[in-house]
């Protein structure tokens, strides 16, 4: 087992570069995760791991996890407390960090399941929202997620944490032109829906949600672009209170649950 005491160790520099730089993650096909639960979930989900870093205290507390990682071929390193501080991206770190390889969870647009249910996310910028939507989608059994190129990085550390491991198991596809992708799916017989805060009298509860469905959820502040709305059937969530709109993750959860409820 390697022991790392220097904050300038190449493995430590590599980790922090992956943590902080989206382009480097894409270039190397790797990402980082932090915490005992995420590491255990990644190992159980078949994620190909590279290196795991444990503080001495974490290694003692999570001995079984450390052993499992080593048995699965993960390079295990012990790090000093000052090194752990440099690695940490949370306010209360557990002393467990790891690098992993991105998963092959993409699906081809022309091979999409015609009877499946998908969420199409346009320019979701908040990592917490994206991670929460992934977590909800996996919990409800959606077939997959479409992401516009303007969405925050699905492998950003905050997204991975907020997804609670759902990113390891959820099929997704990033598309350069989301309106064109929605139009193609519509042409192939999949109902395309657009969730709006207002501007339509059609309610979610009035829709026929049988068969294949793709529901588009827009940016937290701007909502969906006109180009996306144009190729979809717009609807809104019925609300009795005085709130004008819902948080993107909350709206997505309501919509996805309603679609999956009768399946």
């Amino acid at each position: 087992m390697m022991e790392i005491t220097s904050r300038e160790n190449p493995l430590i520099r590599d980790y922090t570069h992956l943590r902080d730089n989206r382009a480097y993650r894409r270039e190397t096909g790797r990402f980082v995760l932090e915490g005992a639960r995420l590491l255990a979930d990644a190992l159980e989900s078949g994620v190909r791991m590279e290196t795991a870093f444990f503080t001495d205290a974490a290694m003692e507390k999570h001995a079984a996890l450390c052993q499992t990682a080593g048995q699965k071929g993960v390079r295990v390193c012990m790090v000093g407390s000052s090194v752990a501080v440099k690695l940490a991206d949370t306010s209360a770190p557990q002393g467990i960090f790891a690098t992993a390889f991105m998963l092959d969870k993409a699906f081809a647009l022309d091979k999409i399941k015609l009877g499946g249910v998908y969420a199409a996310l346009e320019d979701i910028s908040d990592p917490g929202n994206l991670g929460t939507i992934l977590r909800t989608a996996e919990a409800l059994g959606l077939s997959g997620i479409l992401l516009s190129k303007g969405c925050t990085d699905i492998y950003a550390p905050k997204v991975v944490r907020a997804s609670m491991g759902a990113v390891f198991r959820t099929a997704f596809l990033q598309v350069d032109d989301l309106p064109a992708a929605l139009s193609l799916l519509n042409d192939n017989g999949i109902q395309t829906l657009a969730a709006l805060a207002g501007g339509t009298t059609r309610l979610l509860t009035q829709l026929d949600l049988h068969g294949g469905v793709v529901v588009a959820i827009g940016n937290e502040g701007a909502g969906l672009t006109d180009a996306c709305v144009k190729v979809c059937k717009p609807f809104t969530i019925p609300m009795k209170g005085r709130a004008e709109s819902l948080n993107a993750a909350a709206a997505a959860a309501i919509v996805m649950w309603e679609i999956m409820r009768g399946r």
Side-chain angles (χ1 to χ4, degrees):
M1 180 186 301
M2 181 187 299
E3 184 173 355
I4 299 175
T5 57
S6 171
R7 292 161 60 99
E8 300 306 315
N9 182 282
L11 291 177
I12 303 305
R13 291 203 306 269
D14 178 67
Y15 181 97
T16 57
H17 198 22
L18 283 172
R19 183 193 65 197
D20 299 335
N21 191 295
R22 177 177 186 166
Y24 186 59
R25 288 194 292 270
R26 293 295 169 183
E27 177 187 334
T28 62
R30 296 177 298 138
F31 66 103
V32 303
L33 53 92
E34 179 177 338
R37 179 170 179 174
L38 275 179
L39 177 56
D41 205 347
L43 291 169
E44 291 172 8
S45 300
V47 177
R48 188 160 67 97
M49 307 299 299
E50 184 181 33
T51 305
F53 305 93
F54 288 77
T55 62
D56 184 50
M59 193 169 288
E60 183 176 347
K61 183 177 181 180
H62 300 281
L65 178 59
C66 181
Q67 183 178 14
T68 299
Q71 290 172 345
K72 288 182 176 286
V74 182
R75 176 172 50 191
V76 177
C77 301
M78 181 186 295
V79 296
S81 57
S82 67
V83 176
V85 169
K86 183 171 183 177
L87 296 176
D89 191 45
T90 60
S91 58
Q94 296 178 309
I96 298 175
F97 316 89
T99 58
F101 293 93
M102 294 179 178
L103 300 91
D104 183 16
K105 289 291 183 181
F107 56 88
L109 202 59
D110 59 349
K111 303 289 185 183
I112 199 168
K113 292 194 294 185
L114 296 182
V117 176
Y118 298 84
L121 309 180
E122 185 178 38
D123 301 349
I124 298 295
S125 61
D126 182 84
N129 279 338
L130 180 53
T132 300
I133 293 171
L134 289 169
R135 182 180 181 184
T136 306
E138 193 220 2
L140 294 176
L142 264 71
S143 305
I145 302 287
L146 277 74
L147 303 160
S148 75
K149 63 181 180 181
C151 282
T152 191
D153 184 13
I154 196 169
Y155 286 111
K158 290 181 180 178
V159 175
V160 175
R161 287 199 302 275
S163 81
M164 293 298 287
V167 69
F168 306 147
R169 299 176 293 275
T170 303
F172 61 87
L173 176 65
Q174 185 161 5
V175 296
D176 291 331
D177 188 337
L178 186 59
L182 292 170
S183 181
L184 175 63
L185 295 175
N186 200 18
D187 290 344
N188 287 336
I190 298 177
Q191 183 178 197
T192 53
L193 304 173
L196 303 182
T200 178
T201 58
R202 185 185 291 116
L203 300 179
L204 170 63
T205 50
Q206 298 171 333
L207 297 172
D208 180 356
L209 299 173
H210 295 92
V213 176
V214 179
V215 59
I217 307 290
N219 172 268
E220 293 87 347
L224 288 166
T225 60
D226 291 342
C228 269
V229 176
K230 185 177 180 181
V231 295
C232 295
K233 181 186 292 184
F235 71 91
T236 190
I237 298 171
M239 295 189 292
K240 295 183 178 180
R242 296 178 63 183
E244 294 182 358
S245 63
L246 291 169
N247 166 278
I254 292 170
V255 173
M256 291 188 291
W257 182 85
E258 181 67 19
I259 295 173
M260 297 302 295
R261 184 164 60 93
R263 294 175 186 255

